[in-house]
Amino acid sequence: LNHRPALGSFEELWEVIKRHLPSLALLMVSERDAERLLPLCGLPAAESIEAALSALRRHCGLPLVACCVKRARDADAAQTTSTLKAGGNRRWSVVAFDDGIASTELIPVEHAPLDPLGGGDAWMAGFVSSALEADISTKISPLGKAEGTADLSECLRLACRRGDLMAALSQNFYGDLTGVTAAQLRELEQSYSGKLAMLSPQTPSAQAGAQRMAPMGAQAKAGD
């Protein structure tokens, strides 16, 4: 769900999206959008993002509803709605399915984005690629009922993890396009399997890509 205010209100966007819900396997929302969707769907406020996603999934009849969560890496830093948090980001993701919640909150990714653009698209690309590899469509019935809950939960957690890493890596570059390679992604997945991932501001290979793709002012500054 990607609301652009210049194109219409959030309510107008949801009216369009609602018509396509029967054909969707996954709906991805932000924390703010989840809050706004609950009353639009006639649902009460939720105590947590997990509860909100579960309620929306049941109401909309969807197999999966997901959200990326971003917080300031420093627990004492002021929490803002900006993608670029003071002191860096701590990010994880949550996905609701029929029998529960899969989350990477216990194994988040910490990073310092160069640019806020592209994180959501990159997360989706990472999630979908992992889900396709695991063939999760065979583990979910058309009504979203999990077949083999433990296996599905782990597949979804791994898909969230790849999405988290891909989003963090993509924000090492300026603009919507990224120079992240499959080899880099696989290496990080193996290096940080099952634990907190603390990514350096830029890997050596990303530095060259970021320099090539940076705005002219940023390139000049980097060269000073």
Side-chain angles (χ1 to χ4, degrees), residues 113-169:
L114 287 177
D115 194 319
L117 295 177
D121 292 339
W123 184 91
M124 185 68 80
F127 182 93
V128 170
S129 72
S130 181
L132 289 174
E133 287 179 9
D135 197 15
I136 66 167
S137 63
T138 63
K139 302 176 177 66
I140 304 176
S141 75
L143 296 179
K145 180 66 179 177
E147 304 294 342
T149 302
D151 183 42
L152 176 59
S153 179
E154 178 62 9
C155 289
L156 292 172
R157 187 186 68 82
L158 291 174
C160 285
R161 176 62 157 184
R162 181 175 293 179
D164 296 341
L165 289 169
M166 189 66 191
L169 287 171

Side-chain angles (χ1 to χ4, degrees), residues 73-93:
R73 181 163 52 189
D74 182 352
D76 295 327
Q79 300 295 340
T80 70
T81 57
S82 170
T83 298
L84 303 179
K85 310 294 184 185
N89 288 13
R90 171 177 286 232
R91 69 179 303 139
W92 66 92
S93 47

Side-chain angles (χ1 to χ4, degrees), residues 18-33:
K18 280 199 303 185
R19 298 198 293 266
H20 299 280
L21 289 178
S23 64
L24 296 184
L26 168 66
L27 177 66
M28 180 185 175
V29 298
S30 68
E31 289 184 273
R32 172 60 179 144
D33 288 346

Side-chain angles (χ1 to χ4, degrees), residues 57-219:
R57 193 204 67 79
R58 288 192 299 270
H59 176 82
C60 297
L62 292 168
L64 306 171
V65 178
C67 178
C68 292
V69 180
K70 297 179 286 291
R71 296 289 185 270
R73 181 163 52 189
D74 182 352
D76 295 327
Q79 300 295 340
T80 70
T81 57
S82 170
T83 298
L84 303 179
K85 310 294 184 185
N89 288 13
R90 171 177 286 232
R91 69 179 303 139
W92 66 92
S93 47
V94 181
V95 59
F97 64 106
D98 187 74
D99 285 328
I101 291 288
S103 171
T104 51
E105 184 175 5
L106 297 179
I107 51 170
V109 176
E110 294 188 351
H111 64 118
L114 287 177
D115 194 319
L117 295 177
D121 292 339
W123 184 91
M124 185 68 80
F127 182 93
V128 170
S129 72
S130 181
L132 289 174
E133 287 179 9
D135 197 15
I136 66 167
S137 63
T138 63
K139 302 176 177 66
I140 304 176
S141 75
L143 296 179
K145 180 66 179 177
E147 304 294 342
T149 302
D151 183 42
L152 176 59
S153 179
E154 178 62 9
C155 289
L156 292 172
R157 187 186 68 82
L158 291 174
C160 285
R161 176 62 157 184
R162 181 175 293 179
D164 296 341
L165 289 169
M166 189 66 191
L169 287 171
S170 74
Q171 290 178 333
N172 266 350
F173 295 82
Y174 290 101
D176 287 320
L177 301 179
T178 178
V180 178
T181 67
Q184 288 174 318
L185 185 58
R186 302 288 188 188
E187 181 181 357
L188 286 176
E189 284 181 315
Q190 294 175 6
S191 298
Y192 293 108
S193 177
K195 60 184 179 182
L196 165 71
M198 300 181 67
L199 306 189
S200 59
Q202 288 191 56
T203 61
S205 58
Q207 289 178 358
Q211 180 67 18
R212 288 195 304 272
M213 300 172 71
M216 291 301 295
Q219 290 187 18

